[in-house]
């Protein structure tokens, strides 16, 4: 119908609809086809096209939880690397839940060009058992399954412990995430091991977990603070900046002076951390670069290129701000 209205062949319509006109279709024919498409309301059947080609232009990003604003930058990096040639489809689970292979297999019916999988576990990857192009993000210890881009989050965690110890803190609390991915276990373990090595105490009773939500972390801190204060806790490390925002919010309500009475730190280095009052000390994790590099790796696989570095690790670093200025531990 489009071809008939525009007075061209169906092959010409296909070239215009799929953006493959350069050097193949005249400007006049492009205009007439686009006009006919607009008048008829025609859209390309992407599923039908993928069946014809054997693969679609869809890239699927599988993530266990995108409640953390950190993922907005990851997604932006992925989009930048993929460009206009691919459409990004997000497959997201509920907070604290891992993706299920059965759910992803249903998405594979769309014949995606490739998969990006964030923070998976080995059981999921073994159950999925896909043979198509796949790249893992933030999946330490799983490099044998696929090319991956990881974060050296442990380095920043150790830097944070050293900073708090040098500031005189002796008893520290930890506000963790309920998301049971490896990255949270690594940052927690690295911090605690370095803290103990530097003479600080992180009592198991002073470790609590919530979803990655400002309100939830504020409530958790409000409930825990009286006990922490009585025990002599002078610093709290949060698994994400979002958790830390909740602590800062509730601390203001409770009249807790930051950092004089309590130092607060997080992970991610989100944009608001530099402008909060006080500014939030945070372990910088290069979210946009994580997405960018993962997208570049996947695009290389899709295009059949050999990857120069199948396994990449991006550095983390500590950004010190007013929420942990040196305070005398009690």
């Amino acid at each position: 119908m489009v071809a008939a209205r525009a007075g061209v062949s169906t092959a010409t319509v296909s070239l215009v609809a799929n953006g493959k006109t350069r050097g193949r279709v005249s400007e006049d024919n492009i205009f007439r086809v686009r006009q006919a498409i607009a008048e008829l309301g025609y859209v390309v059947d992407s599923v039908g096209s993928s069946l014809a080609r054997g693969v679609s232009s869809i890239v699927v990003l599988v993530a266990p939880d995108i409640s953390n604003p950190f993922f907005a930058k990851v997604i932006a990096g992925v989009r930048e690397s993929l460009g206009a040639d691919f459409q990004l489809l997000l497959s997201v689970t509920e907070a604290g839940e891992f993706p299920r292979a059965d759910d992803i297999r249903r998405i594979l019916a769309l014949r995606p060009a490739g998969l990006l999988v964030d923070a998976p576990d080995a059981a999921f990857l073994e159950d999925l058992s896909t043979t198509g192009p796949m790249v893992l993000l933030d999946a330490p210890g799983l490099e044998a399954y696929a090319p991956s881009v990881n974060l050296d989050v442990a380095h920043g965690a150790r830097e944070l412990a050293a900073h708090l110890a040098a500031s005189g803190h002796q008893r520290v609390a930890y506000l963790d995430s309920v998301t049971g991915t490896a990255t949270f276990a690594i940052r927690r373990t690295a911090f605690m091991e370095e803290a103990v090595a530097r003479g600080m105490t992180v009592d198991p009773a002073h470790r609590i977990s919530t979803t990655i939500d400002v309100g939830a972390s504020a409530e958790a801190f409000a409930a825990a603070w009286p006990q922490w204060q009585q025990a002599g806790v002078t610093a709290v490390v949060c698994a994400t900046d979002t958790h830390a925002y909740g602590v800062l919010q509730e601390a203001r309500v409770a009249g807790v002076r930051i950092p004089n009475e309590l130092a607060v730190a997080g992970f991610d280095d989100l944009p608001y951390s530099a402008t909060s009052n006080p500014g939030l000390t945070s372990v910088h994790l290069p979210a946009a670069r994580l997405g960018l590099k993962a997208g570049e790796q996947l695009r290389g696989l899709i295009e059949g290129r050999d990857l120069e570095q199948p396994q990449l690790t991006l550095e983390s670093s500590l950004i010190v701000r007013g929420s942990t200025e040196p305070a005398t531990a009690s």
Side-chain angles (χ1 to χ4, degrees), residues 136-201:
L136 310 181
L137 295 79
D138 203 9
L142 300 177
E143 292 84 356
Y145 288 91
S148 64
V149 183
N150 289 316
L151 299 169
D152 185 9
V153 67
H155 174 73
R158 290 190 290 267
E159 281 193 327
L160 176 54
H163 166 65
L164 293 178
S167 298
H169 296 282
Q170 296 176 355
R171 302 189 73 85
V172 182
Y174 198 94
L175 180 52
D176 209 347
S177 169
V178 296
T179 305
T181 55
T183 184
F184 289 112
I186 288 173
R187 62 188 71 182
R188 178 181 65 249
T189 300
F191 172 79
M192 290 185 174
E193 288 179 349
E194 188 68 20
V196 171
R198 292 179 178 271
M200 291 189 292
T201 299

Side-chain angles (χ1 to χ4, degrees), residues 65-298:
D65 179 7
I66 60 168
S67 58
N68 187 351
F70 176 83
F71 277 104
K73 284 192 170 185
V74 175
I75 292 169
V78 172
R79 286 291 324 136
E80 180 181 347
S81 63
L82 294 179
D85 295 335
F86 298 94
Q87 297 298 313
L88 185 62
L89 174 65
L90 296 180
S91 175
V92 183
T93 65
E94 295 293 332
E97 293 186 9
F98 282 95
R100 296 186 306 173
D102 285 345
D103 295 334
I104 306 307
R105 274 194 284 269
R106 282 194 286 270
I107 295 176
L108 292 179
L110 297 174
R111 305 197 181 193
L115 290 178
L116 293 167
V117 185
D118 181 82
D121 59 9
F124 167 79
L125 294 174
E126 290 175 2
D127 193 11
L128 182 61
S129 189
T130 181
T131 58
M134 179 172 68
V135 173
L136 310 181
L137 295 79
D138 203 9
L142 300 177
E143 292 84 356
Y145 288 91
S148 64
V149 183
N150 289 316
L151 299 169
D152 185 9
V153 67
H155 174 73
R158 290 190 290 267
E159 281 193 327
L160 176 54
H163 166 65
L164 293 178
S167 298
H169 296 282
Q170 296 176 355
R171 302 189 73 85
V172 182
Y174 198 94
L175 180 52
D176 209 347
S177 169
V178 296
T179 305
T181 55
T183 184
F184 289 112
I186 288 173
R187 62 188 71 182
R188 178 181 65 249
T189 300
F191 172 79
M192 290 185 174
E193 288 179 349
E194 188 68 20
V196 171
R198 292 179 178 271
M200 291 189 292
T201 299
V202 188
D203 193 308
H206 300 154
R207 176 191 158 200
I208 56 177
S209 302
T210 75
T211 55
I212 304 174
D213 177 79
V214 172
S217 60
E219 290 179 6
F221 171 73
W225 173 240
Q227 181 191 15
W228 290 357
Q229 186 179 34
Q230 187 176 12
V233 169
T234 59
V236 56
V237 172
C238 302
T240 71
D241 283 5
T242 302
H243 286 96
Y245 299 156
V247 173
L248 292 176
Q249 172 184 295
E250 186 58 32
R252 282 193 293 271
V253 173
V256 180
R257 293 174 299 148
I258 307 292
N260 302 66
E261 291 181 72
L262 182 69
V264 182
F267 286 79
D268 293 338
D269 191 30
L270 299 178
Y272 181 67
S273 298
T275 59
S276 62
N277 186 22
L280 178 66
T281 291
S282 182
V283 174
H284 175 74
L285 302 177
R289 187 167 172 78
L290 175 66
L292 180 70
K293 288 299 180 182
E296 289 176 352
Q297 296 280 70
L298 183 64

